[in-house]
């Protein structure tokens, strides 16, 4: 039994219900949401019941044969790009893509934890404008958010994809991305992160293919639209055809 902010729990329920009605797959299905007595007979509290996922993607990959580790990671990456793209097609951005929010069930990656997700379109069908403001905190997990968010730019679809690229750089390389992230929690100090610029990506000990995927998501075109098939095909072609080793 875990306690959550009631407003956040209700918000997550609304987002998941909406996405499920749109036919989005590979996200949690809500079993029940409402008020219930706490397990120790205490006061009423808000409850959300969803399937219990026992294994994260990273934990699952650690159980497989090292010989096929890379191929399996790439297969999972491409399927997760597809799922995230469908979520984006339904006007939702996740805003907290990280390893802990990618679970595996029946050989499929399930994206969980939509508590800070949001709609990026207004009631008239227009994309909310991109604002850059000075912020004292950030939305998401500092280790995986994009440079744009560190610099105060409002999250967009592009930033979900950059976060996903960072996650899989870590999975593919089996190395931590940043040296200093633990010192700053969720404070926006981009100069402290070695992976918050294209130059940092190029200089890091990761395959250029994964780096290219993450940095290409920062192009201006990625703000207003996403070519889902090109994103998936580009990633697969750049990684599967590569002869480089980690």
């Amino acid at each position: 039994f875990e306690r959550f902010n009631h407003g956040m729990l209700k918000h997550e329920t609304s987002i998941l219900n909406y996405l499920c009605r749109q036919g989005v797959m590979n996200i949690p299905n809500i079993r029940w949401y409402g008020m219930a007595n706490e397990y120790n007979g205490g006061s009423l509290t808000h409850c959300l019941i969803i399937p219990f996922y026992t294994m994260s993607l990273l934990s699952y990959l650690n159980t497989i044969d090292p010989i096929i580790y890379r191929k399996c990671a790439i297969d999972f990456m491409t399927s997760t790009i597809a799922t995230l793209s469908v979520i984006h097609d339904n006007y939702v951005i996740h805003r907290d893509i990280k390893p802990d929010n990618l679970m595996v069930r029946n050989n499929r990656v399930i994206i969980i934890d939509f508590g800070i997700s949001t709609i990026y379109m207004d009631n008239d069908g227009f994309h909310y404008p991109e604002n850059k403001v000075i912020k004292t905190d950030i939305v998401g997990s500092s280790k995986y958010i994009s440079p744009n968010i560190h610099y105060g730019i409002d999250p967009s679809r592009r930033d979900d994809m950059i976060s996903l690229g960072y996650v899989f750089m870590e999975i593919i390389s089996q190395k931590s991305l940043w040296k200093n992230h633990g010192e700053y929690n969720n404070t926006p100090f981009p100069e402290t992160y070695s992976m918050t610029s294209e130059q940092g990506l190029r200089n890091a000990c990761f395959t250029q293919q994964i780096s290219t995927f993450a940095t290409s998501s920062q192009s201006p075109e990625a703000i207003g639209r996403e070519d889902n098939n090109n994103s998936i095909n580009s990633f697969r072609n750049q990684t599967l055809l590569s002869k480089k080793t980690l």
Side-chain angles (χ1 to χ4, degrees):
F1 181 84
E2 294 185 67
R3 286 184 176 273
F4 292 92
N5 177 281
H6 294 166
M8 185 178 293
L9 201 62
K10 185 175 182 179
H11 173 76
E12 178 169 13
T13 301
S14 298
I15 291 289
L16 287 175
N17 268 329
Y18 162 72
L19 290 174
C20 286
R21 288 197 303 270
Q22 304 307 309
V24 178
M25 306 293 290
N26 301 325
I27 61 174
N29 292 314
I30 294 177
R31 307 300 191 195
W32 185 80
Y33 173 79
M35 301 289 293
N37 286 318
E38 294 187 1
Y39 68 97
N40 60 359
S43 60
L44 286 172
T45 187
H46 292 258
C47 294
L48 170 63
I49 299 177
I50 60 175
F52 180 59
Y53 302 102
T54 60
M55 184 170 290
S56 69
L57 174 57
L58 186 58
S59 296
Y60 177 83
L61 287 171
N62 286 336
T63 68
I64 66 174
D65 190 329
I67 296 176
I68 61 173
Y69 179 98
R70 181 186 176 92
K71 181 182 183 304
C72 287
I74 293 170
D75 289 342
F76 280 127
M77 173 64 164
T78 53
S79 67
T80 308
I81 294 173
T83 298
L84 192 56
S85 295
V86 174
I87 292 170
H88 290 167
D89 287 344
N90 286 282
Y91 315 122
V92 172
I93 51 176
H94 188 279
R95 302 204 297 180
D96 197 19
I97 297 296
K98 60 183 179 181
D100 289 346
N101 289 338
L102 302 178
M103 310 299 288
V104 174
R105 171 173 284 189
N106 297 328
N107 207 37
R108 295 184 296 120
V109 177
I110 309 295
I111 300 177
I112 66 168
D113 195 356
F114 285 76
I116 61 173
S117 61
T118 190
I119 303 292
Y120 63 82
M121 302 286 280
D122 63 23
N123 292 332
D124 296 321
F126 293 101
H127 198 297
Y128 285 119
E130 182 182 86
N131 297 314
K132 182 175 181 180
V133 298
I134 302 300
K135 300 177 181 177
T136 58
D137 56 7
I138 57 175
V139 175
S141 300
S142 60
K143 187 177 178 182
Y144 299 101
I145 60 172
S146 78
N148 308 300
I149 300 173
H150 277 294
Y151 283 108
I153 300 174
D154 289 338
S156 71
R157 293 169 288 175
R158 164 198 59 197
D159 302 296
D160 273 356
M161 286 296 185
I162 293 172
S163 293
L164 186 58
Y166 287 169
V167 168
F168 277 87
M169 277 193 283
E170 189 170 282
I171 287 175
I172 288 287
S173 67
Q174 297 180 281
K175 298 180 178 69
S176 180
L177 300 187
W178 292 270
K179 295 180 180 179
N180 303 321
H181 71 272
E183 300 176 19
Y184 300 95
N185 298 318
N186 275 21
T187 305
F189 292 116
E191 66 274 11
T192 65
Y193 298 89
S194 61
M195 294 294 289
T196 54
S197 68
E198 183 174 355
Q199 187 62 39
L201 292 177
R202 292 181 184 279
N203 292 339
C205 54
F206 302 99
T207 62
Q208 184 61 44
Q209 289 71 30
I210 309 296
S211 299
T212 298
F213 168 79
T215 54
S216 66
S217 296
Q218 300 184 47
S219 65
E221 294 79 8
I223 299 174
R225 67 174 179 83
E226 288 176 350
D227 189 332
N228 301 340
N229 289 332
N230 283 348
S231 294
I232 296 171
N233 291 334
S234 174
F235 178 82
R236 290 198 67 87
N237 290 340
Q238 290 171 6
T239 51
L240 286 174
L241 298 179
S242 173
K243 301 299 183 182
K244 294 182 179 181
T245 57
L246 296 172

